[in-house]
Amino acid sequence: MDYCISHFGKSLNDLTIQDIETFFQIERTETDQIEFKSIHPSGSLDDKFKGIHKSVCAMLNSSGGLIIWGAPIGQKVEGRKEKVFTGELTLFQEVLEKDFVISKISDSIIPLPSAIRIKILNKDSNSLVIIEVDKSEYSPHQTYDTYYMRIDGQSKPAPHHYIEALFKRIKYPNIEVLFKITGTDIHNDSLYRVDFDMYFFNWTPLQNEEDLSFRVLVDNGHFSNHQIPGHQHMYRLNGQEFYKDCTKEIFYFGEPVRESDIILFNPYKVEKNGNKANIIISFGGRFSPRKTSEYILDFSKFLSSKPNELIIERKENRLTKDVQDEKGVNKESIIKTLMEK
């Protein structure tokens, strides 16, 4: 659900700092689906994130919502239970990076959340963070050993019966992949070499997955092992696809499955594509729905001392259905394409 459209009349990507300033020109109160977090100059950044972890966790376990981090300081009004928020924003006195914020939030929530979108709005050298959270298909989530939920416009520890109901609601395991570039080099003085690891995780306690499979597609390059005898069965499309139909028969919670390979990119083709290349990973199992992770590599950063800086855009662990909906692919369009061939 696009909560920004509900509150601002525009999507998260289209929001500006002026939209937030205008929003708080009148008194606002929190609800179960919108929370305002002010930023105090004192205290460490880690301490500030702890409150965000609790709020994100609560929205994941409830009906989702929106967090405005950098909102005005809430004021108590006589005769009213809830605080009101209006006036000047309280911004971070630094420019924050989106990947940093996503990492700080995701790393402290179990199981790892995927239904979170972040927008950093800057004003001069200051930042405000908008966090849009979808209701999770894999709840309950916890942070700091506590499960939270939204009730009466607040994030509160969830009672046992609520947690138990959420556990019973889960119908399939939550499978996710972590993609990591482990090294880069020049191969035979002519090709860009990119070494990578993929770590697959089952984040759902008490529910195993079976027959984990994956596909990795790459453009402007090929997998280096696709012509090696005994390995050809794992590659297709002239080495542009690496796949395994059953890389793990029984996939347990908390036990990562690691896969590694090497991609060789053609510098001429990469340069014609604006120094960019794409990697798409799709994966799933017997019970879990298919998911997709997409990465854009920028080879102008190829000589960086930190290989992962080659990745300039990530769209990770999204349900393939959501990816197809975003691209306008549906039953009718697929049938039409097939019939026109």
Side-chain angles (χ1 to χ4, degrees):
M1 178 177 176
D2 197 326
Y3 300 97
C4 286
I5 289 180
S6 298
H7 293 283
F8 296 99
K10 57 173 64 176
S11 68
L12 178 66
N13 289 332
D14 294 330
L15 281 180
T16 67
I17 193 72
Q18 290 75 26
D19 292 325
I20 309 303
E21 290 176 331
T22 301
F23 181 76
F24 285 110
Q25 285 180 0
I26 63 174
E27 292 184 351
R28 302 290 179 177
T29 57
E30 295 175 311
T31 69
D32 287 348
Q33 291 192 330
I34 189 166
E35 183 167 357
F36 307 130
K37 289 287 189 183
S38 57
I39 299 167
H40 298 275
S42 60
S44 68
L45 187 58
D46 285 340
D47 288 338
K48 291 179 172 65
F49 267 100
K50 286 183 179 179
I52 294 300
H53 295 150
K54 182 173 72 172
S55 298
V56 170
C57 188
M59 287 184 172
L60 287 165
N61 289 336
S62 302
S63 55
L66 194 67
I67 301 170
I68 300 178
W69 195 11
I73 296 174
Q75 304 291 332
K76 290 185 177 180
V77 177
E78 187 176 353
R80 297 178 66 174
K81 177 182 176 181
E82 70 276 9
K83 290 182 179 180
V84 298
F85 297 78
T86 186
E88 187 176 353
L89 301 177
T90 58
L91 306 177
F92 280 98
Q93 296 179 352
E94 58 184 301
V95 175
L96 297 177
E97 296 292 334
K98 180 179 178 179
D99 287 346
F100 168 76
V101 174
I102 292 175
S103 177
K104 289 286 286 184
I105 292 174
S106 299
D107 290 350
S108 294
I109 297 176
I110 302 172
L112 189 71
S114 60
I116 298 175
R117 296 173 293 280
I118 304 287
K119 180 69 179 287
I120 310 292
L121 301 177
N122 296 318
K123 184 175 184 179
D124 300 324
S125 297
N126 302 318
S127 298
L128 177 140
V129 182
I130 306 293
I131 307 170
E132 198 170 48
V133 184
D134 287 339
K135 178 181 179 180
S136 176
E137 295 292 332
Y138 307 104
S139 57
H141 296 265
Q142 62 173 299
T143 185
Y144 308 111
D145 299 320
T146 303
Y147 296 96
Y148 291 93
M149 63 182 293
R150 291 290 291 175
I151 184 169
D152 294 332
Q154 299 181 48
S155 298
K156 297 181 178 180
H160 175 75
H161 67 85
Y162 185 81
I163 299 168
E164 186 178 23
L166 289 175
F167 269 118
K168 289 179 178 178
R169 186 177 62 86
I170 294 174
K171 297 296 191 298
Y172 45 81
N174 179 18
I175 308 302
E176 294 190 339
V177 66
L178 170 66
F179 178 79
K180 179 181 180 182
I181 295 177
T182 57
T184 57
D185 203 351
I186 303 296
H187 179 75
N188 289 340
D189 297 324
S190 61
L191 299 173
Y192 294 133
R193 169 175 169 155
V194 174
D195 298 55
F196 69 89
D197 286 339
M198 296 183 296
Y199 294 90
F200 295 94
F201 292 89
N202 175 3
W203 294 116
T204 306
L206 309 178
Q207 192 168 359
N208 300 331
E209 178 56 292
E210 298 178 12
D211 301 335
L212 173 68
S213 65
F214 67 83
R215 301 280 189 278
V216 186
L217 284 167
V218 60
D219 63 3
N220 301 320
H222 62 268
F223 292 92
S224 65
N225 296 325
H226 80 283
Q227 292 183 326
I228 296 178
H231 291 261
Q232 295 101 323
H233 67 282
M234 295 187 295
Y235 301 93
R236 290 189 293 224
L237 303 177
N238 295 320
Q240 289 187 286
E241 181 184 31
F242 168 39
Y243 73 98
K244 286 188 180 180
D245 283 333
C246 184
T247 189
K248 185 72 171 177
E249 289 186 10
I250 305 296
F251 190 13
Y252 298 101
F253 166 72
E255 179 189 21
V257 174
R258 176 174 172 264
E259 293 283 343
S260 302
D261 214 306
I262 299 167
I263 306 173
L264 301 177
F265 290 93
N266 185 317
Y268 175 72
K269 291 182 178 179
V270 168
E271 185 177 353
K272 286 185 65 177
N273 195 43
N275 275 328
K276 304 293 194 304
N278 301 291
I279 297 174
I280 300 175
I281 305 171
S282 62
F283 56 95
R286 181 177 178 184
F287 304 110
S288 56
R290 204 79 176 162
K291 287 186 177 179
T292 300
S293 288
E294 302 178 53
Y295 304 88
I296 298 178
L297 277 53
D298 181 357
F299 284 86
S300 66
K301 303 177 182 289
F302 187 73
L303 298 179
S304 171
S305 59
K306 299 179 180 179
N308 273 298
E309 289 185 351
L310 196 63
I311 304 172
I312 60 168
E313 186 173 328
R314 300 171 180 262
K315 294 182 179 179
E316 297 182 296
N317 299 307
R318 299 190 296 164
L319 292 172
T320 301
K321 177 188 179 301
D322 293 340
V323 175
Q324 290 184 338
D325 287 346
E326 183 180 285
K327 295 179 179 179
V329 178
N330 53 35
K331 175 182 175 181
E332 289 73 21
S333 65
I334 293 173
I335 292 174
K336 182 179 179 181
T337 300
L338 290 174
M339 294 302 291
E340 288 178 348
K341 286 186 177 181

